[in-house]
Amino acid sequence: MGRDELECFLLLAEELHFGRTADRMRLSRARVSQLVQRLERRVGAPLFARTSRRVALTALGRQLRDDLEPHHRAIGAAVARATATARGIDGVLHVGFSTPPAGEIVLKAAEALHTSHPGLAVEICEVPLSDPYGQLRKGEFDVQLTEFPVREHDLGEGPALLTEERVLAIAAGHPLSARAAVSLEDLSAVPLLTVDGEVPDYWLEQHAPTHTPGGRPIARGPAVTNMQEALTLVAGGKGALLSAAHTATYHARPGVAYVPFADAEPIGYGLVWRAADNTSAVRAFARAALKAATGA
């Protein structure tokens, strides 16, 4: 049985109308009749009962339809899976996120992809504070939504998907905690916690600068590896933490005050991936993440 005969038979069995079947196949009604007659000759008996007013399946036609439909669906599904695999939009995509707001966008994008690309499973995990690009480079993440700037020659990046203001996390009893806002020059009055791990110098300068914009030195406090450790030290008066505004919402705790900056540039977040592995799955996730971030 030829593919055109199979598709014509199943469509006509569904429509029971030669004109609609011809329209769906983009063929003439005469060609549809020819395909049906050819199949009936191959089978050896009529598959449709035709009158001037209606078309109906014969008992043999119903039997053939019931036998063929599951296999036809399976063939279509197999071709769809093969196409998705060839395009790289199948399998498992591992996605990292660095902060709770980034995680929310990642989760929304993953849910959208579950609908648009059901063959692509998305697994998400938090990016370690102490190693912002290590898991991405090792292949444990395929893409991650993380803070900018990213100045790594082997990593590609997309546009910023969200931005948020910066705050100073400081012990509730410190004089700066009573301010309505602080400036970057005020950082010279308190040691800043730093990060212990595989972090680039420019990344560390973003999170724990060594000097104020006016050139005044900023003391270094203890080094930390995660947010809970950092906030414990902040509450204990061991130093302050330069952070994003979401920290006040997601990490509110006794003994820690969050004071906004009057003059600090907002933090931007965007997608980062291995430049050599900008796959179709990564690009599909990037499109979904953009829609999730913009509400489009």
Side-chain angles (χ1 to χ4, degrees):
M1 181 187 299
R3 178 179 176 181
D4 53 352
E5 293 175 9
L6 169 63
E7 293 187 352
C8 183
F9 168 73
L10 290 175
L11 279 177
L12 185 57
E14 176 186 341
E15 294 286 353
L16 297 177
H17 190 282
F18 278 84
R20 289 194 297 270
T21 300
D23 290 341
R24 288 180 62 178
M25 294 193 70
R26 297 183 179 180
L27 299 174
S28 67
R29 294 182 63 167
R31 179 57 178 162
V32 169
S33 295
Q34 290 172 0
L35 290 171
V36 171
Q37 291 168 4
R38 190 167 71 189
L39 179 59
E40 288 177 328
R41 287 195 299 270
R42 189 189 304 277
V43 172
L47 300 172
F48 295 93
R50 311 166 181 80
T51 70
S52 60
R53 305 187 67 175
R54 65 188 295 267
V55 177
L57 282 163
T58 64
L60 182 61
R62 288 193 297 272
Q63 174 189 314
L64 183 60
R65 177 200 61 194
D66 293 345
D67 288 343
L68 285 177
E69 276 188 337
H71 300 288
H72 186 252
R73 288 195 299 269
I75 291 171
V79 171
R81 287 193 298 271
T83 301
T85 300
R87 292 175 178 172
I89 310 181
D90 205 351
V92 180
L93 188 72
H94 298 90
V95 182
F97 65 92
S98 61
T99 65
E104 291 172 3
I105 291 177
V106 165
L107 188 59
K108 289 179 182 178
E111 291 172 350
L113 283 181
H114 179 69
T115 300
S116 62
H117 299 289
L120 180 65
V122 179
E123 295 185 358
I124 66 176
C125 188
E126 187 175 7
V127 176
L129 177 67
S130 59
D131 192 9
Y133 310 122
Q135 289 180 279
L136 182 61
R137 285 194 169 106
K138 293 174 185 175
E140 296 173 15
F141 293 145
D142 299 300
V143 60
Q144 64 186 46
L145 183 54
T146 193
E147 296 97 330
F148 282 171
V150 176
R151 300 168 187 158
E152 306 295 307
H153 72 279
D154 58 334
L155 302 180
E157 62 183 82
L161 298 183
L162 73 152
T163 59
E164 59 176 331
E165 300 300 320
R166 306 184 85 180
V167 297
L168 184 67
I170 194 165
H174 192 281
L176 290 178
S177 69
R179 299 267 194 92
V182 293
S183 73
L184 292 172
E185 291 299 322
D186 291 325
L187 295 179
S188 63
V190 60
L192 282 184
L193 301 183
T194 185
V195 178
D196 183 18
E198 298 295 324
V199 294
D201 291 342
Y202 70 85
W203 191 96
L204 190 61
E205 184 66 20
Q206 174 85 355
H207 291 78
T210 57
H211 291 81
T212 70
R216 300 164 68 185
I218 301 172
R220 285 288 176 92
V224 300
T225 60
N226 60 71
M227 183 61 71
Q228 294 305 322
E229 181 183 353
L231 294 177
T232 298
L233 292 175
V234 170
K238 303 299 182 182
L241 179 68
L242 194 57
S243 187
H246 76 266
T247 313
T249 301
Y250 290 90
H251 299 284
R253 58 185 295 163
V256 177
Y258 294 96
V259 187
F261 278 92
D263 56 355
E265 290 291 328
I267 298 176
Y269 298 81
L271 293 176
V272 182
W273 57 85
R274 294 181 300 280
D277 294 318
N278 186 12
T279 64
S280 296
V282 169
R283 293 195 295 273
F285 184 84
R287 291 191 294 270
L290 178 60
K291 289 182 179 179
T294 59

